[in-house]
Amino acid sequence: MAGGGGEAAEPRKRGKAKKRKKSRRLGIRIDMTPLVDIAFLLLTFFMLTTTMSKPQTMEINLPPEDVPVEIAESNLLTLRVSEKEEIFWNFGIEAPEKVEFSALRNFLREKNQANPKLVTLVKIDRKAKYNMMVNIMDELNLAEITRFSLAQLTDSDKKILEKVQG
Amino acid sequence: MPKFKPHRAGIRIDMTPLVDIAFLLLTFFMMTTQFKPIEEVEIILPSSHSQFKLPDSDVMTINLAKDGRIFLGVDSQRLRATLFGKENELRASIEVPRERLGDLLIQARTANPKLRTVIKGDVGVEYGVAEDVMDILQKTRITRFNLVTNLETDRAGN
């Protein structure tokens, strides 16, 4: 109370200044609309540009080069893919037969069920597309075949294919 | 009338919480966003049913462009500088001649043994290029690598 009395006794000027300050403090209102506009603009930008999904990958294991693996001929299924992306299969040294890509998965499943020791060797022509290789790998994975390997399509392989194609 | 007017003018929504949340989300997205590095070549990925995700870091990418050119990229800037020189450290991948690929792979692997090798091939690239690259990988004793693909959903039924 005494303080209040003291204040009242202060010179007029100071009292006025204090009063003005108080009213100004209450009255400060910034219009936040542009701020919010920009914030949301940036927010939508970052939300839309963020890619949450990462690309998928397919894992491949190659056998080390200097370790030869020997397989009985009857357990070797060779898939040869020609330049025209036709698929031929044969066991060992039998004559190759054509198989459609759409039938490949069931074909592989059947063969592997018939002989669980089967090893699939995939030989793809150099002029075929990379996409073909990925598709065949995918089919092998989907048919749950883990025992497969890639090899070069040599000239003798090409001759065998030519013979079948006539 | 005089009763109405001040009432109307007095509607003010307190936007502070809104702004708080907006900025919170904004900072979150700004921090987590990773801009896709500018690719040297456009690569259309083949699709597969594989569900493995590409790891975040320690990736070495071998890009196979449609015309058969090979680009090598690593994700760490420091490693890029040591492999390709200071001037190339900001480029995502560098064109590499086939003969040098093996050496660069070995260099990269010695600099960072945790590097995972990933092949990113265009759908249209000839298999021969991929075969050569896999040959080089096999010679440099990288026998485990990944192929980058898109997830295929259309014939996933059976």
Side-chain angles (χ1 to χ4, degrees):
Chain A
M1 247 351 201
E7 233 169 36
E10 290 285 312
R12 217 188 143 206
K13 204 182 165 188
R14 206 191 148 186
K16 199 185 169 188
K18 198 173 184 184
K19 203 179 164 192
R20 211 169 85 206
K21 207 174 168 188
K22 206 178 171 188
S23 69
R24 206 164 151 215
R25 215 204 226 157
L26 263 177
I28 288 186
R29 286 211 181 203
I30 304 164
D31 187 9
M32 283 198 190
T33 331
L35 181 76
V36 178
D37 287 353
I38 298 298
F40 272 100
L41 184 79
L42 287 171
L43 183 59
T44 29
F45 170 71
F46 280 105
M47 273 176 81
L48 292 178
T49 52
T50 292
T51 42
M52 289 291 185
S53 65
K54 272 184 274 166
Q56 318 288 318
T57 63
M58 192 195 278
E59 195 166 297
I60 292 184
N61 283 304
L62 290 179
E65 205 182 21
D66 41 9
V67 187
V69 188
E70 281 184 19
I71 312 156
E73 234 160 47
S74 57
N75 288 339
L76 182 68
L77 173 70
T78 315
L79 287 179
R80 292 189 178 90
V81 180
S82 73
E83 195 179 324
K84 289 177 208 145
E85 308 201 333
E86 294 165 316
I87 305 165
F88 296 89
W89 68 273
N90 71 318
F91 280 116
I93 49 168
E94 287 169 29
E97 279 174 58
K98 197 173 166 178
V99 60
E100 291 302 323
F101 180 74
S102 51
L104 189 63
R105 197 181 309 170
N106 288 328
F107 167 80
L108 288 169
R109 261 200 204 129
E110 270 168 38
K111 294 291 173 204
N112 270 271
Q113 264 158 17
N115 181 1
K117 278 193 277 179
L118 202 67
V119 174
T120 314
L121 186 63
V122 183
K123 295 181 172 184
I124 305 174
D125 191 286
R126 289 185 64 88
K127 290 208 182 78
K129 297 285 180 235
Y130 170 73
N131 195 24
M132 197 63 196
M133 171 199 152
V134 174
N135 284 339
I136 288 180
M137 297 283 192
D138 198 28
E139 293 302 314
L140 287 165
N141 283 337
L142 285 172
E144 283 144 26
I145 296 167
T146 47
R147 290 148 66 89
F148 66 89
S149 78
L150 285 165
Q152 267 180 357
L153 190 82
T154 54
D155 287 337
S156 57
D157 287 312
K158 275 184 197 163
K159 273 187 197 122
I160 295 170
L161 288 188
E162 267 167 32
K163 221 184 275 174
V164 182
Q165 280 166 323
Chain B
M1 217 39 184
K3 220 179 183 179
F4 254 117
K5 219 176 177 180
H7 189 68
R8 218 198 216 164
I11 290 188
R12 282 200 186 217
I13 304 164
D14 188 10
M15 283 198 188
T16 329
L18 182 76
V19 177
D20 287 353
I21 298 298
F23 272 99
L24 183 79
L25 288 172
L26 182 58
T27 24
F28 169 72
F29 280 106
M30 274 176 80
M31 301 282 207
T32 53
T33 230
Q34 274 178 351
F35 285 101
K36 216 171 134 201
I38 304 148
E39 302 283 340
E40 297 286 320
V41 272
E42 197 194 1
I43 286 172
I44 305 160
L45 291 174
S47 48
S48 78
H49 298 89
S50 177
Q51 302 266 11
F52 289 111
K53 292 264 192 257
L54 192 69
D56 271 326
S57 53
D58 297 325
V59 185
M60 170 163 67
T61 320
I62 303 168
N63 297 287
L64 312 176
K66 206 177 175 186
D67 49 8
R69 286 181 299 163
I70 300 170
F71 293 79
L72 181 67
V74 280
D75 59 351
S76 120
Q77 194 172 317
R78 199 142 37 97
L79 190 51
R80 277 205 293 263
T82 51
L83 287 182
F84 311 116
K86 198 82 183 152
E87 68 279 4
N88 286 329
E89 68 171 15
L90 289 177
R91 289 168 66 184
S93 56
I94 311 290
E95 187 175 352
V96 177
R98 234 165 271 199
E99 316 79 66
R100 281 203 61 215
L101 184 64
D103 292 340
L104 284 169
L105 291 178
I106 293 170
Q107 270 184 47
R109 296 269 290 188
T110 33
N112 182 0
K114 276 189 292 180
L115 272 185
R116 289 184 68 97
T117 314
V118 160
I119 296 183
K120 203 172 162 185
D122 192 281
V123 268
V125 71
E126 277 185 6
Y127 172 69
V129 182
E131 195 176 88
D132 289 344
V133 169
M134 286 192 286
D135 237 36
I136 294 168
L137 286 176
Q138 208 170 23
K139 287 210 177 76
T140 51
R141 297 184 168 272
I142 302 174
T143 53
R144 227 181 78 185
F145 54 89
N146 294 48
L147 305 177
V148 184
T149 55
N150 279 333
L151 186 63
E152 184 170 332
T153 44
D154 51 356
R155 9 175 227 126
N158 44 352

